[in-house]
Amino acid sequence: MTSLVVVLIPGTGVLYTVATGLFIGKRASVFAAIGCTLGIIPALLASALGLAAVFHTSAIAFQLVKYIGAAYLLYLAWQMWRSSSSLSVANEGSNKGYLDVMVKGFLLNILNPKLSIFFLAFLPQFIPASAQSALVSMFTLGGVFMALTFAVFLLYGFLSGLFSEYIVKSDKLSVLIQRVFASSFAALGVKLALSERA
């Protein structure tokens, strides 16, 4: 239940999946959800292997990943703002396009150092004291978290995809919404750049 609440709270992954569903289509939002979910794996591995502690204790490592992540969010914002125009969902059938969508979602999560620190602070609390292997328990809990993330992101993507056709029919509305999403990505990038270690 705690993981579900955390996943439901909109963040960069949700924003990206919703934007993909709105502007490219429901099928593309599935690949966005896959990419964002796979992007959890490095954070889970880092936490399980103790690497997340490096981000927590090393200011240089944390700052480096943080600024790269912030720059990537600002790049996505600029890319979306620059391409603000009337849209067509008809061009969503490219396999290369789907791969690009998935890779972007993956990068969004691995370039967020807060995710590794979150796993380090969050998951270990739920490992039973009687567990024979803390590592196995950590990966099990991480797998549950990833499954919930994928399911919730699929739901967000599907719901946004339902409105895609209505949005692309209106040139003014599609441009406005693209710019709102671009501004949101930029705001998240600035927020990440200004954030401090927990």
Side-chain angles (χ1 to χ4, degrees):
M1 289 302 295
T2 306
S3 293
L4 184 59
V5 170
V6 170
V7 172
L8 285 170
I9 297 172
T12 54
V14 169
L15 188 64
Y16 177 69
T17 304
V18 169
T20 301
L22 282 174
F23 303 129
I24 305 179
K26 284 182 286 189
R27 189 175 299 175
S29 73
V30 173
F31 286 86
I34 292 172
C36 289
T37 303
L38 291 177
I40 295 173
I41 294 175
L44 176 59
L45 289 173
S47 299
L49 301 175
L51 298 178
V54 174
F55 286 120
H56 193 62
T57 57
S58 171
I60 294 175
F62 180 84
Q63 297 291 337
L64 179 64
V65 176
K66 180 181 79 169
Y67 287 127
I68 292 173
Y72 185 66
L73 282 169
L74 292 173
Y75 165 73
L76 288 180
W78 171 77
Q79 199 175 45
M80 185 173 283
W81 186 278
R82 188 185 63 170
S83 65
S84 295
S85 61
S86 56
L87 299 166
S88 173
V89 185
N91 62 0
E92 75 161 300
S94 165
N95 287 332
K96 183 179 182 300
Y98 290 149
L99 181 62
D100 288 344
V101 165
M102 191 164 63
V103 169
K104 284 181 180 178
F106 180 76
L107 289 174
L108 272 177
N109 272 348
I110 67 169
L111 292 176
N112 184 358
K114 290 271 186 176
L115 187 60
S116 293
I117 293 174
F118 166 77
F119 270 103
L120 184 67
F122 178 70
L123 287 186
Q125 299 179 51
F126 298 93
I127 297 176
S130 58
Q132 292 184 344
S133 172
L135 194 60
V136 171
S137 295
M138 188 77 163
F139 283 127
T140 301
L141 291 172
V144 171
F145 187 88
M146 288 178 64
L148 286 172
T149 298
F150 184 62
V152 169
F153 280 27
L154 275 183
L155 179 61
Y156 276 126
F158 178 77
L159 291 175
S160 61
L162 291 177
F163 296 97
S164 178
E165 185 180 349
Y166 301 103
I167 290 172
V168 299
K169 284 181 178 178
S170 170
D171 291 354
K172 289 183 179 180
L173 184 59
S174 65
V175 169
L176 175 63
I177 292 179
Q178 281 184 87
R179 290 186 173 175
V180 168
F181 273 94
S183 299
S184 299
F185 277 120
L188 287 169
V190 171
K191 181 181 177 183
L192 178 59
L194 297 176
S195 67
E196 299 295 333
R197 287 177 295 165

